[in-house]
Amino acid sequence: THREVSRRIHNFAVSALTLVEHTRNFMRENYGQTPVFDRYQGKIKAEFLDDPVSQFVQRLRNYMVHRGLPNSQMYLHMEQDPASGQGATFLTGVRLDAKTLLEWDGWGSAARRYIGSAGEFLDIQSFTAEYTRRVGEFHKWLQFQIHQHHKWDLLWFGDL
């Protein structure tokens, strides 16, 4: 399980940057001289440039590709409230060691802030869910911008 989570987090970080690069190339090639591209660049700066979670995920890719897999640990937490009569609840997962991550000098200030604010460990599910949510919202916004740019063309095509 631990090895599988490490593989998946590696793939997540690498694919995050692949999506960034592919989107950037697509926008340059197809909309580079249009107002859509200007809005795209402004949105990137506003949403991702100084966002700690985004910067962490994007720099994590560099960490994993050039330095190796981050130190992580599996954990099992049990909580029991005898008064409730409900038995125990268990929480298990894999988390990244923040102290070891901070030894690397390639994080940048926003990512370093994110790691520092996490405490002793970074919860993998938290940062992957937050980054995925942010990127999903961004791509919905971008799709709308492109659709608006081609609004008249799409109406004309629909009339055909």
Side-chain angles (χ1 to χ4, degrees):
T1 300
H2 197 178
R3 190 173 29 227
E4 179 65 10
V5 169
S6 294
R7 183 184 71 78
R8 287 181 181 230
I9 195 63
H10 175 271
N11 289 348
F12 176 81
V14 171
S15 65
L17 261 291
T18 299
L19 180 59
V20 167
E21 291 298 325
H22 284 248
T23 304
R24 182 181 296 136
N25 290 338
F26 173 81
M27 291 302 294
R28 275 191 195 130
E29 290 172 18
N30 296 286
Y31 299 97
Q33 304 301 317
T34 70
V36 174
F37 188 74
D38 296 335
R39 288 192 299 274
Y40 159 79
Q41 287 190 305
K43 185 78 165 175
I44 292 291
K45 287 178 185 173
E47 296 290 325
F48 298 105
L49 191 62
D50 292 320
D51 176 58
V53 173
S54 301
Q55 289 301 307
F56 171 72
V57 169
Q58 292 177 10
R59 303 282 177 121
L60 180 61
R61 178 261 179 207
N62 294 339
Y63 183 97
M64 295 179 91
V65 168
H66 300 293
R67 185 169 177 146
L69 296 175
N71 285 344
S72 60
Q73 66 174 234
M74 291 184 73
Y75 65 92
L76 175 65
H77 176 78
M78 181 189 91
E79 201 169 293
Q80 185 172 19
D81 180 11
S84 73
Q86 297 297 316
T89 58
F90 289 91
L91 180 64
T92 185
V94 178
R95 55 193 179 191
L96 304 181
D97 180 62
K99 182 180 176 184
T100 310
L101 289 172
L102 287 171
E103 293 172 0
W104 186 52
D105 63 358
W107 290 113
S109 61
R112 188 169 286 284
R113 243 185 358 261
Y114 178 74
I115 298 167
S117 72
E120 190 176 356
F121 299 102
L122 279 94
D123 180 64
I124 292 171
Q125 185 174 358
S126 293
F127 71 78
T128 55
E130 177 61 17
Y131 185 78
T132 300
R133 182 191 65 74
R134 292 181 67 78
V135 169
E137 287 176 3
F138 170 76
H139 278 275
K140 284 179 189 174
W141 173 88
L142 184 57
Q143 180 65 35
F144 178 78
Q145 297 299 311
I146 291 170
H147 188 270
Q148 288 299 107
H149 179 75
H150 293 288
K151 179 171 56 177
W152 300 114
D153 297 325
L154 291 169
L155 287 171
W156 176 78
F157 184 70
D159 287 343
L160 289 177

